[in-house]
Amino acid sequence: MSIPPSSLRVAIVGSGPAGFYAAEALQKSAPGIRIDLFERLPTPFGLVRGGVAPDHPKIKSVTRVFERIASQPGFRFLGNVQVGRDITTAELRDHYEAVLYAIGAESDRHLGIPGEHLPGSHAATELVAWYNGHPEYANHRFDLTQRAAAVVGIGNVTMDAVRILARAPDHLATTDLAVHALEALRDARLAELHILARRGPVQAACTTPELRELGELEGVDVMVNPRDLELDAASVEHLAAAEDRTAENNLGILRHWAERGGTGAPRRIIFHFGVSPVELVGDSRVEAIRLVKNRLVHDGRGGVRADPTDESMTLPVGLVFRSVGYRGLELPGLPFDARLGTVPNVGGRVVQAPGSATAVRGVYVAGWIKRGPHGIIGTNKACAAETVDHVLADSVSGRLAPAAHGADELDQLLAERGIDVTSWTDWRAIDQAEVERGKAAGRPREKFVSVEEMLEVVRRSRS
Ligand code: NAP
């Protein structure tokens, strides 16, 4: 039976960019459509709130677009509801014609080397969530009294993490960086930050503006060994075949730093290319990282691979952050591709297993849980639009089943379970209170970093 798109009820799970862009695409194609956006925190915006660096406020201003989407008729925000804990995936399917998961990639990839679990070894994504005040990471501790730290990987998460660790705390005090992180960074003694790239400068995953910023930090020298910039044959070919100028521009910046050398600044960011960690060394905590030198070879698929040589070196560091990519987590009741850390899908239609062509009726994905943890915020727009096209096509072609229960029954179910659901109005109260607190300290906002504190603000505003 065909269901007119405008009379659909759709649940979107996850209120990051992919979730909001999916809502926008549904609203544009099917005015009047009813959308419930679920979020496990009382606050919206996913990685825009908990991942984008505090000193990148322009990137965060995308929330204004999301606010407009949230203000459309038919849209409801259901915060503080964790799907898989407070309500099952099967129950959601019973209450909506379509459920679209935009749950991102909540975990991170590991290195799989000895010593990785020693104290002092962390995921960079945990550091990012900690300094952004994510409630689940607010109590993490990083020993920033160490003199030297290494960050493994050379993507944009590394650029963000290194920049925040190297930046003057007085500058960070003008951002919305969490108060606990600001205090810890004021006491930090980090003087050496080593960036470890397993391949060469041409293969660096970071983008040029993010790389360039490292060279603009006050009180920081950026050190690049000119020998690391001598390109091997594989990299010369890689550069010539590049689709855009990122690698060439990155190389230009690195060459400039290599020529400039150090100025005796109190903090140093030191790049190492063509090295892979093989062990974190230490008795009771990280004391050093052992690296093997790589050589670059063609991978036979048009790319360049790092192969280990016999040469190794040990770098004394007290902290190691692995920054080798996010990873999606399995949600009970949803198919999962354990190899990729994604939900198997064809263009956003969830399928029963990796490689299967059999769709799971009424279940969709968008964003990192659909395509893996790559791309910037804007990438999610086209990604969500592709999924939404399939939702609408399935609705018209009779591939969706009418929901067994309505919105009232869902609200009742959550109420019976004692879930204190936060609405968009509740989020506005939290938002206002944070901005208010920040004003007093000359900051854009001062975030609440515990769910309890947030719910306290909500209760006060409701009464
Ligand atoms: P990423 O861009 O995929 O970078 C991962 C890095 O880890 C790469 O340098 C990769 O090297 C390296 N790596 C992977 N496995 C490794 C291993 N076993 N040993 C050593 N190195 C390893 O991931 P990300 O930095 O987590 O960023 C995720 C996405 O978010 C990206 O699309 C990024 O652009 C985006 N992001 C954007 C911003 C921004 O726009 N400001 C900020 C943060 C994140 P290989 O290349 O050799 O695999």
Side-chain angles (χ1 to χ4, degrees), residues 39-115:
E39 165 61 51
R40 77 187 155 115
L41 291 178
T43 54
F45 305 143
L47 275 185
V48 175
R49 181 175 162 100
V52 172
D55 58 346
H56 279 173
K58 265 199 199 143
I59 300 182
K60 284 177 195 272
S61 65
V62 69
T63 55
R64 285 206 284 274
V65 175
F66 302 159
E67 275 159 15
R68 212 182 51 232
I69 297 165
S71 71
Q72 297 302 306
F75 179 98
R76 295 201 306 168
F77 176 70
L78 290 91
N80 202 30
V81 183
Q82 185 167 337
V83 175
R85 182 192 65 188
D86 302 328
I87 184 163
T88 66
T89 48
E91 285 168 333
L92 267 192
R93 279 180 68 188
D94 282 348
H95 286 82
Y96 297 88
E97 274 93 37
V99 185
L100 190 157
Y101 290 90
I103 53 179
E106 285 184 68
S107 185
D108 77 293
R109 295 176 56 206
H110 284 244
L111 296 168
I113 58 172

Side-chain angles (χ1 to χ4, degrees), residues 267-311:
R267 288 184 300 284
R268 299 196 303 160
I269 296 171
I270 305 162
F271 281 83
H272 304 259
F273 288 97
V275 289
S276 285
V278 285
E279 185 184 1
L280 303 193
V281 186
D283 288 332
S284 56
R285 56 159 299 114
V286 173
E287 290 166 22
I289 185 166
R290 206 159 66 75
L291 306 169
V292 66
K293 191 91 189 124
N294 297 325
R295 84 194 154 87
L296 300 184
V297 294
H298 288 291
D299 65 4
R301 298 187 308 263
V304 172
R305 190 182 70 210
D307 272 2
T309 65
D310 295 336
E311 212 183 312

